[in-house]
Amino acid sequence: MSIRRTTKAARGAVAMASAVGLALVVAGCGGDGGGSKATDDKKPAAHSSAPKESDPGAPAADSDKVIGEMKGPDGVVVTLHSVVRDSGGFVTVNGTVTNRGTRAFNAIDWRSNETEMRSRSSISGATLVDKAGKKRYLVLRDTNGECLCTTGLSGLMPGSSRPVFAQFPAPPAKVTEVDFQLPTMPPAGVQITD
């Protein structure tokens, strides 16, 4: 259920960002100072309403809380906010990817090697590793073979951030420490909370 809300929130945020961008492009194409003043009055309202609309469907993770950080090539940083075990036997990792580099980021290298995956820009290649138990947990798939993770992660411009999530089968209850891994990134040791 939280995955649906997270996916809806991500889609809503992308749609809102696209709408704001389109409004700015249209406003820049016409008129004199009078038209831009009207656009300026509308722009903050549209921008400020986006976070409020996406908050109810946002991941339960506290985005101010940082439990781990992974720094990759080209200024890409993944900040981990929570790794939560739920009663259904799953573990959900929530975080934020930020592009601190100078060019657009596409998560093409973070996908799994599966050929059935539809989304080419996802974090389907993420894993949880239980070093003590010597087990690796892969991102779960739905009945269509799609990952239960952030997809469509492309075109992240410099200075931009986006929430990300991945859901895994839960390790045994006694396992509380795991490494979260993404291809091209160093692993981050994190604690699973209930």
Side-chain angles (χ1 to χ4, degrees):
M1 188 152 107
S2 65
I3 292 174
R4 285 189 198 142
R5 280 191 245 144
T6 303
T7 303
K8 284 184 180 181
R11 287 182 185 153
V14 170
M16 182 57 74
S18 299
V20 170
L22 183 59
L24 290 174
V25 169
V26 170
C29 292
D32 58 328
S36 1
K37 184 174 188 232
T39 304
D40 288 344
D41 291 340
K42 292 179 185 174
K43 185 174 80 172
H47 187 303
S48 64
S49 68
K52 291 177 186 171
E53 289 178 7
S54 63
D55 283 348
D62 180 4
S63 62
D64 294 332
K65 183 178 178 185
V66 176
I67 63 168
E69 187 173 81
M70 305 159 66
K71 295 181 179 180
D74 299 323
V76 174
V77 177
V78 175
T79 306
L80 300 174
H81 304 300
S82 69
V83 179
V84 180
R85 182 190 319 264
D86 69 19
S87 59
F90 307 110
V91 169
T92 303
V93 177
N94 288 294
T96 304
V97 60
T98 304
N99 184 352
R100 296 183 184 160
T102 57
R103 58 185 178 159
F105 170 72
N106 296 311
I108 211 100
D109 292 331
W110 290 358
R111 67 179 181 200
S112 67
N113 292 329
E114 297 171 69
T115 57
E116 295 84 23
M117 294 291 294
R118 291 185 186 138
S119 179
R120 297 183 54 84
S121 296
S122 69
I123 62 170
S124 60
T127 58
L128 283 183
V129 176
D130 169 13
K131 290 191 280 189
K134 297 181 181 175
K135 290 192 178 183
R136 177 180 303 263
Y137 298 88
L138 305 177
V139 176
L140 291 169
R141 305 295 190 254
D142 66 15
T143 55
N144 293 325
E146 288 296 323
C147 72
L148 298 180
C149 67
T150 300
T151 60
L153 188 56
S154 62
L156 186 64
M157 300 308 288
S160 298
S161 295
R162 181 163 170 207
V164 292
F165 80 95
Q167 194 169 42
F168 302 89
K174 66 180 180 177
V175 177
T176 58
E177 292 185 21
V178 292
D179 281 354
F180 178 72
Q181 297 179 340
L182 275 171
T184 74
M185 305 283 276
V190 292
Q191 287 202 328
I192 300 174
T193 59
D194 292 324

